[in-house]
Amino acid sequence: AQSVTQLGSHVSVSEGALVLLRCNYSSSVPPYLFWYVQYPNQGLQLLLKYTTGATLVKGINGFEAEFKKSETSFHLTKPSAHMSDAAEYFCAVSVRRGTSYGKLTFGQGTILTVHP
Amino acid sequence: DGGITQSPKYLFRKEGQNVTLSCEQNLNHDAMYWYRQDPGQGLRLIYYSQIVNDFQKGDIAEGYSVSREKKESFPLTVTSAQKNPTAFYLCASSSQREGRTGYNEQFFGPGTRLTVL
């Protein structure tokens, strides 16, 4: 079985500051890793994903994440926060094979607040 | 444009009533999923279907039922047996075929907010 832990249910930054949202995962088989963003009362939108290959993944809106197998982490970063980045962010894991193939397990979410 | 639609956006139910939430996709995806979202709990999987006429229970299936008679449609019924149905419900789909758009990633609909009166 796989699991995801997002450290910090709320993160607050100033506009222009670095954004760092933390995600650690547990999986008994090689994982696929995802970050999604959700604006109020809307569905989830994919920011980026790691499947295979390069461990530094670039996504939309200037976000990126690095897969670190030794640390079982997939932290999301953005060099400079914008007011429009205020939203809830979810880290998720799925597996490459087995009976759970294709199923996503989500973290509990991190609400990002951006101050002017 | 391809995508996933959910209806209605808001739904009110009286206690003891069954209600059905609609989910339709025109992405030609094989797999479809239903999640429940509660504040501070992330998304929890209710049911999923990887092929027409077949579906499996997720982590919190009690009090819910689904059908998958067509590839494009995956309706969710919230029955009177669900003790606390007030929540935001999200439908998603994905392709299970390597090389296809959406392979190994889930696309989400806009959600339905269900409130029990």
Side-chain angles (χ1 to χ4, degrees), chain A residues 59-82:
Chain A
I60 62 172
N61 301 338
F63 285 94
E64 63 182 37
E66 186 171 11
F67 170 57
K68 292 188 176 180
K69 184 178 179 180
S70 61
E71 299 177 8
T72 60
S73 70
F74 192 57
H75 302 330
L76 182 71
T77 60
K78 182 175 180 177
S80 177
H82 192 273

Side-chain angles (χ1 to χ4, degrees), chain B residues 16-74:
Chain B
Q17 285 183 334
N18 294 354
V19 290
T20 298
L21 282 59
S22 170
C23 177
E24 304 275 336
Q25 55 98 359
N26 61 3
L27 299 167
N28 198 30
H29 285 170
D30 304 296
M32 296 186 74
Y33 309 83
W34 273 106
Y35 295 91
R36 171 181 171 139
Q37 185 177 18
D38 297 281
Q41 297 192 45
L43 279 73
R44 293 180 290 168
L45 183 64
I46 305 173
Y47 269 97
Y48 66 103
S49 167
Q50 295 180 320
I51 194 170
V52 175
N53 292 323
D54 187 44
F55 48 83
Q56 285 78 40
K57 293 181 179 179
D59 301 318
I60 56 165
E62 185 175 352
Y64 300 97
S65 66
V66 294
S67 63
R68 186 87 187 276
E69 297 178 359
K70 299 187 299 182
K71 187 176 185 178
E72 302 79 16
S73 178
F74 192 42

Side-chain angles (χ1 to χ4, degrees), chain A residues 8-115:
Chain A
S9 58
H10 290 81
V11 171
S12 181
V13 301
S14 298
E15 191 173 19
L18 171 71
V19 175
L20 171 60
L21 305 183
R22 300 178 187 273
C23 172
N24 287 90
Y25 71 91
S26 172
S27 176
S28 56
V29 296
Y32 291 131
L33 295 160
F34 306 82
W35 275 101
Y36 284 87
V37 61
Q38 184 182 35
Y39 298 98
N41 290 312
Q42 295 185 23
L44 276 65
Q45 179 184 10
L46 182 69
L47 277 177
L48 49 80
K49 64 179 179 180
Y50 168 77
T51 53
T52 59
T55 56
L56 181 62
V57 180
K58 295 186 183 299
I60 62 172
N61 301 338
F63 285 94
E64 63 182 37
E66 186 171 11
F67 170 57
K68 292 188 176 180
K69 184 178 179 180
S70 61
E71 299 177 8
T72 60
S73 70
F74 192 57
H75 302 330
L76 182 71
T77 60
K78 182 175 180 177
S80 177
H82 192 273
M83 297 296 290
S84 61
D85 295 327
E88 189 163 15
Y89 292 80
F90 292 94
C91 182
V93 62
S94 69
V95 296
R96 303 184 183 191
R97 57 183 179 269
T99 57
S100 296
Y101 174 69
K103 292 170 57 181
L104 280 176
T105 299
F106 285 87
Q108 294 182 326
T110 298
I111 295 174
L112 175 67
T113 302
V114 182
H115 296 287

Side-chain angles (χ1 to χ4, degrees), chain A residues 101, chain B residues 28-30 50-51 71 94-104:
Chain A
Y101 174 69
Chain B
N28 198 30
H29 285 170
D30 304 296
Q50 295 180 320
I51 194 170
K71 187 176 185 178
S94 69
S95 174
Q96 306 296 72
R97 304 184 191 188
E98 193 168 2
R100 289 279 184 92
T101 300
Y103 176 63
N104 272 322

